[in-house]
Amino acid sequence: MQFTTVGLGTWNIEKSPKAAVAALKAGIEAGANHIDTAEMYGDGEAERLVAEAIKGVRNKVHVVSKVLPSNADYDATIAACERSLERLQTDYLDIYLLHWRNKRTPLAETFRAFEQLKKDGKIRNWGVSNFDVNDLKEALALVGEGKIVCNQVLYHVEERTVEADVLPFCRMHDITVFAYSPLGQGTLPKHKDLSAIARAHKASEAQAALAFLIHNPGVIAIPKSVDKQRAVENIEAAKLRLSEDDLHKIDAAFPLRAKRNLPTA
Ligand code: NDP
């Protein structure tokens, strides 16, 4: 089962638990086949809510969770995964990620734990998050090609830094990029520079923002919403096909070079 190009995020969903479960279920019904969560979110509460949302449909939905860097040594990774499985009421994770890198724990140790979890059937695959190209090179030097299935990174139309290096690097090494905060944490759905494009497609600004990201091969977006209608709207963005002209307009309105991390000369 492949991942749909838009999935469901869960950071902060524990603040509106009932609505969140309904929104996740609506998103799955609308066609999403994966949910992104983490032991960190609501101190495990988000994973418990995901368990409710996937009850009865586990075989149709991929579940991705993450280990905190403070739990990233060998034993703690195994134990953290087991706690996540219990909260999620499932026997396995589809992908387990290192949430971000903590230089104190050698990557080799976390990756050894991931491989053991995979051997034991507790995870199907593993990946990383918030890795830059140097981190990825180091990781690949340790485990070789084909083991790291994804890198989850900050990516939205106003924050396109990854397009300069991480995205092409990941494509070259067959690592899927999961775009987190793809709606700029809620700022993009109202953005005037997306309005005309969205209107021309009878779509919303949020859908235009998501469609821009996923038109890149090997990119998957994971917007979060605790609102049923907005969750469905986000999932339906997968059907929106932006024209070359639309893509150029978004590219011009949100230029890559304007971002603070990139040199302007
Ligand atoms: P998003 O960019 O997904 O934005 C979420 C915000 O947008 C919420 O306020 C939501 O409000 C609002 N929203 C969602 N859909 C719409 C819509 N169609 N129209 C208008 N407003 C909308 O931010 P997140 O930071 O939550 O990122 C998404 C997911 O990525 C997280 O939930 C998490 O799973 C993952 N993530 C991973 C990180 C990592 O380090 N690996 C870091 C950050 C996020 P409402 O809920 O009320 O609809």
Side-chain angles (χ1 to χ4, degrees):
M1 181 167 62
Q2 286 229 320
F3 279 59
T4 47
T5 49
V6 184
L8 298 155
T10 63
W11 189 22
N12 290 322
I13 60 165
E14 72 287 352
K15 292 175 183 161
S16 322
K18 260 197 173 159
V21 172
L24 290 173
K25 284 185 171 171
I28 294 167
E29 251 175 52
N33 76 354
H34 57 103
I35 301 185
D36 176 75
T37 191
E39 63 169 333
M40 185 186 97
Y41 301 164
D43 252 337
E45 204 43 43
E47 290 181 324
R48 287 193 194 92
L49 295 173
V50 171
E52 276 185 55
I54 61 173
K55 216 174 268 170
V57 292
R58 173 68 182 97
N59 59 348
K60 293 190 191 143
V61 186
H62 297 293
V63 178
V64 179
S65 194
K66 316 184 192 79
V67 61
L68 276 167
S70 50
N71 285 334
D73 68 31
Y74 180 85
D75 289 335
T77 297
I78 305 273
C81 180
E82 279 163 3
R83 287 194 300 271
S84 284
L85 291 175
E86 198 173 323
R87 286 190 291 262
L88 286 158
Q89 293 173 40
T90 187
D91 298 333
Y92 68 95
L93 296 173
D94 292 276
I95 311 185
Y96 200 30
L97 307 180
L98 174 59
H99 207 147
W100 67 90
R101 203 179 162 180
N102 154 0
K103 300 268 180 189
R104 273 173 307 157
T105 313
L107 286 180
E109 201 168 321
T110 315
F111 294 172
R112 194 162 58 83
F114 284 169
E115 282 295 313
Q116 187 60 46
L117 287 165
K118 197 169 160 182
K119 215 181 278 171
D120 294 342
K122 291 180 179 167
I123 65 173
R124 296 264 158 98
N125 277 302
W126 58 268
V128 294
S129 177
N130 296 299
F131 270 37
D132 64 18
V133 167
N134 285 334
D135 296 326
L136 289 167
K137 281 183 181 162
E138 196 180 324
L140 284 171
L142 285 169
V143 295
E145 302 282 335
K147 293 262 164 85
I148 304 164
V149 297
C150 66
N151 183 22
Q152 192 177 115
V153 292
L154 176 64
Y155 182 30
H156 57 76
V157 294
E158 284 191 310
E159 179 45 274
R160 297 173 57 198
T161 310
V162 292
E163 286 180 25
D165 51 7
V166 170
L167 218 56
F169 186 90
C170 285
R171 200 170 293 143
M172 206 174 357
H173 294 277
D174 209 13
I175 297 172
T176 300
V177 168
F178 280 66
Y180 74 65
S181 305
L183 299 173
Q185 299 197 317
T187 56
L188 293 169
K190 294 177 208 91
H191 206 293
K192 64 175 176 36
D193 289 332
L194 293 168
S195 298
I197 292 165
R199 253 197 323 270
H201 288 275
K202 295 193 169 53
S204 67
E205 288 86 347
Q207 289 176 319
L210 295 170
F212 180 80
L213 304 184
I214 60 175
H215 93 276
N216 292 293
V219 175
I220 284 175
I222 45 168
K224 165 261 175 190
S225 180
V226 295
D227 177 86
K228 264 162 100 166
Q229 250 179 324
R230 289 194 287 275
V232 171
E233 175 187 322
N234 294 341
I235 298 312
E236 288 183 345
K239 297 182 204 148
L240 174 57
R241 296 280 169 272
L242 296 175
S243 66
E244 282 300 313
D245 187 46
D246 297 329
L247 295 170
H248 283 133
K249 281 183 184 149
I250 295 177
D251 183 52
F254 302 94
L256 176 61
R257 281 199 172 280
K259 293 321 295 180
R260 48 202 171 278
N261 295 344
L262 289 174
T264 48

